[in-house]
Structures are given as C-alpha cells and as structure tokens.
Amino acid sequence: MTTSTDRWYATGKRKSAIARVWMTPGTGKVIVNRKEEEIYFPRSILRMIMRQPIELVEADGQYDFLINVRGGGSSAQADACKYGIARALQAADPERRSSLKKAGFLTRDAREVERKKYGRAGARRSFQFSKR
C-alpha cells in the first residue's frame, strides 16, 4: 500500500483475480477497467459486494476509485475489488481499520481451486465405474 497526500493505492486478490485500486478524493465515481461500474458489473449484486466497504465507513461520495482488475470470473473480480477498496480506505485513514476488520473486509480469502490429479476426472472426482 502506497500513500501520498491525495492518492492511495492498494491491491486486492481473490482466487485468480487481482484488482489494483487507486483512490483519490472526488465525487464517488468508480471506474473498473476504463468502464463505469454499471457497465463492467451489470449484475447489481456484484456492484453491491464491491461497494460494501465504502458504505460501511460512510465514505460514499468522498473518493473516486480507478480499478484495474484481471483474471478469474466476475464474482471473484468483485470480491478482489472489495478487498482492494477496503485496504485503500484503511490506508487513507488508519482509524477505519477496526470497523473494516470487524466486518471481515481486511481478511484475504485464500481459497484457491485445487489442481486436477492424474487418474481422476477432476481434483477429487473419479471416472465413472462400469462393471463390464
């Protein structure tokens, strides 16, 4: 996390999605991969997940967010953005840490996809058994 007087940077990760978040004082605009958040995340539940830390610390309309996210699916990308936004908000004001930590927004969800094993159909599933 890098801090300056008027710009904060944080990284959020979830599964194979990585979100780089730049936060500046502004009007509450969120740009994800050079698109408005409504266009990039058309499902309202994904936008709600991404905005949870902003609403928790009541910073809606105070900061602009520029987010670059790649890898993973749309749900993992929204979670990565949420984690990156929470870390940027904490970098801007360390007193927000307790409320963000209590809500679980500063905890990295480390669950990853298990690799496929040889002799198996997937990570754990066996091939279909046939007697003949």
Side-chain angles (χ1 to χ4, degrees), residues 27-44 46-47 50-51 63-69 77 81:
T27 59
K29 193 164 44 170
V30 179
I31 305 293
V32 182
N33 288 354
R34 298 181 181 175
K35 296 179 183 173
E36 296 287 331
E37 65 176 319
E38 292 84 15
I39 296 170
Y40 193 80
F41 291 119
R43 292 176 53 204
S44 61
L46 295 178
R47 290 194 303 271
M50 186 183 68
R51 287 187 151 271
Y63 299 104
D64 288 340
F65 294 92
L66 179 64
I67 304 172
N68 288 337
V69 63
Q77 286 186 351
C81 291

Side-chain angles (χ1 to χ4, degrees), residues 5-8 22-30 51 54 57-66 85 88-93 96:
T5 54
D6 59 348
R7 188 172 178 165
W8 297 272
W22 285 271
M23 183 175 82
T24 54
T27 59
K29 193 164 44 170
V30 179
R51 287 187 151 271
I54 301 169
V57 298
E58 296 168 358
D60 206 10
Q62 296 178 15
Y63 299 104
D64 288 340
F65 294 92
L66 179 64
I85 288 170
L89 288 166
Q90 182 213 333
D93 186 6
R96 295 177 174 149

